[in-house]
Structures are given as structure tokens and as C-alpha cells.
Amino acid sequence: MSDTKDHYDDEAIQSLPESVKLSWGIIKQSRRGPKGELSIPKIVDTAVAIADQDGLSAVSMSRVAGALGFTTMSLYRYITSKEDLLLLMQDRVCPPPPEAEPESETGASKKHWRAEMQDYVQFCIKVFRDHPWFADIPIRSVPMMPGNLRIIDWMLRIMRDFPVNDFEKMSFVLLISSYARACGMIARDMDLVIKAGDSFSTFSGLSYTAALKQLITESNFPDLQPIVMSGAYTGEVESPIGDDLAFGLERILDGIEQYLEVRRQM
């Protein structure tokens, strides 16, 4: 959490949602209750631990309060609603992005922007896998909390020297972040399936290949049927292109690279 500020006079700052002001330390913490025994970071960290262990549905103000040894009303002196708590949890588990690599003698980064964007996607996927509940919290607005904003700032740093305008950069942020989110949710779901006792073969459909080859006929699924019969649909045979999600990301980066070349020639 950011350092707590006594007050802000700016009306615009005060118009921010409660959870955002809490994340920035704009709202002064309660002085009531045992000094130093309860704080917003402690509350949020406890809620994160509960969600990591038992899922988002297990998180309640009373459950968190009980884990901390306080009454539910004690928590409301610090965080006024469960909705705010959930958003603070989401921001809390956004780890700080890696520092920029030192520039070479020519002033260029040692790592190509494509590799940095690949790192960004893997970084985001790890958040979804480490905290399976992360994607269960609906997106309600553009990111405004410091943890999420640091991740966006990282992506913009990668594109610092791109010959594009601010709107194009933000569009690229949305494109890459959306793909990372989709990949993260798939990886998360696979982890949960395996944790529940099923196998990767069940998740991929490999266990049901023989049945699908009977059910998916040429007359009903003329374009899907040859894919199923080839073994590509369920991974029955090894893919010549490698990992599907990595392949998709490479094609997205190809598109960005081609767009940059067009912009440089304008």
C-alpha cells in the first residue's frame, strides 16, 4: 500500500472509488481499536491467503475478521465493503515488474521488444496460476490502482521507442493483455482440473479421441471432422508448431512488427 495521506483537497481525487483511494493510501486509516494490530495490508493479505486456499467464494468480511482475531465491525473501520476488499486483493497480488535491462553502448535495450512482450505475457499468466481467483473478479473500469498501473507502465516502457502514437500504444496494451488474460485463464483452469484429480489427457480431450471420431461426422461437421480425424483437435499427434498459445502470441507479435514497419515508412 502507498503511504497514507492526511487529506487531498482536489475534488477530482476525492471522486475516485473508495477501493482506489484505499490502494493509494489517500484515505486515512482508522485510529480506533488496538494500535498497530490491524491494518489494510494485514486485512488484504489475510483475504488473499483465504482465496488462494479455498477460492474467492470463501472470502467474507467475517471470515477474514475471524482469521485475524477481530470482530467483523473492526474490519469495516478500515475497508468499507467486501467489493472494495476484492479489488484491493486483486491489486495486491500484482507483483512489481522486472526492472529495465541496462542499455547497451548504442543506447538500445539488450532484449528485443518481442522477447520483452513474451516475458510480459508469461508474467501475467503466472499471476492467474498463482492466484486462481484473480480472473473471477469482474473488470469494472480501466486500471487505476498502483499495482495494475505498474504492469501497464512496464508494457509502455517496452514500446517507448515505437513509431506510434499514444492511442496505438494503448491498443497494443489491450491486445497483448487480453491474450495474456485468455492464456492465463486456460492455464488456471487446467491447473484446477488436475488439482481436482483429473488428468491433462482429460483436459485436452485426448482421453475421448476415439469417441469424438465417431460422433463428429463429415455430414454434420464438414470442416471439423478432418481435424479430429488427423488427431490435431485433441493433441493425439505431436504438433509441428509447438505450443498453441505460444504460436498464437508469435503471430500477434508478427502483426505488431509488420505494423511498425509500415509506420516507419510513412
Side-chain angles (χ1 to χ4, degrees), residues 8-61:
Y8 277 88
D9 294 328
D10 191 339
E11 186 177 344
I13 291 290
Q14 294 302 331
S15 71
L16 289 169
E18 198 83 355
S19 57
V20 176
K21 289 189 285 187
L22 285 169
S23 71
W24 285 96
I26 294 170
I27 296 178
K28 193 173 182 179
Q29 292 188 19
S30 173
R31 295 185 182 275
R32 291 179 290 176
K35 185 178 180 181
E37 292 187 16
L38 196 58
S39 67
I40 292 175
K42 283 184 180 180
I43 295 169
V44 175
D45 286 344
T46 301
V48 167
I50 292 171
D52 286 347
Q53 180 177 325
D54 298 326
L56 196 63
S57 61
V59 176
S60 66
M61 298 295 274

Side-chain angles (χ1 to χ4, degrees), residues 212-227:
L212 290 174
K213 285 182 176 179
Q214 295 182 58
L215 295 171
I216 300 176
T217 62
E218 185 177 7
S219 59
N220 290 328
F221 305 94
D223 295 295
L224 177 59
Q225 190 266 350
I227 303 294

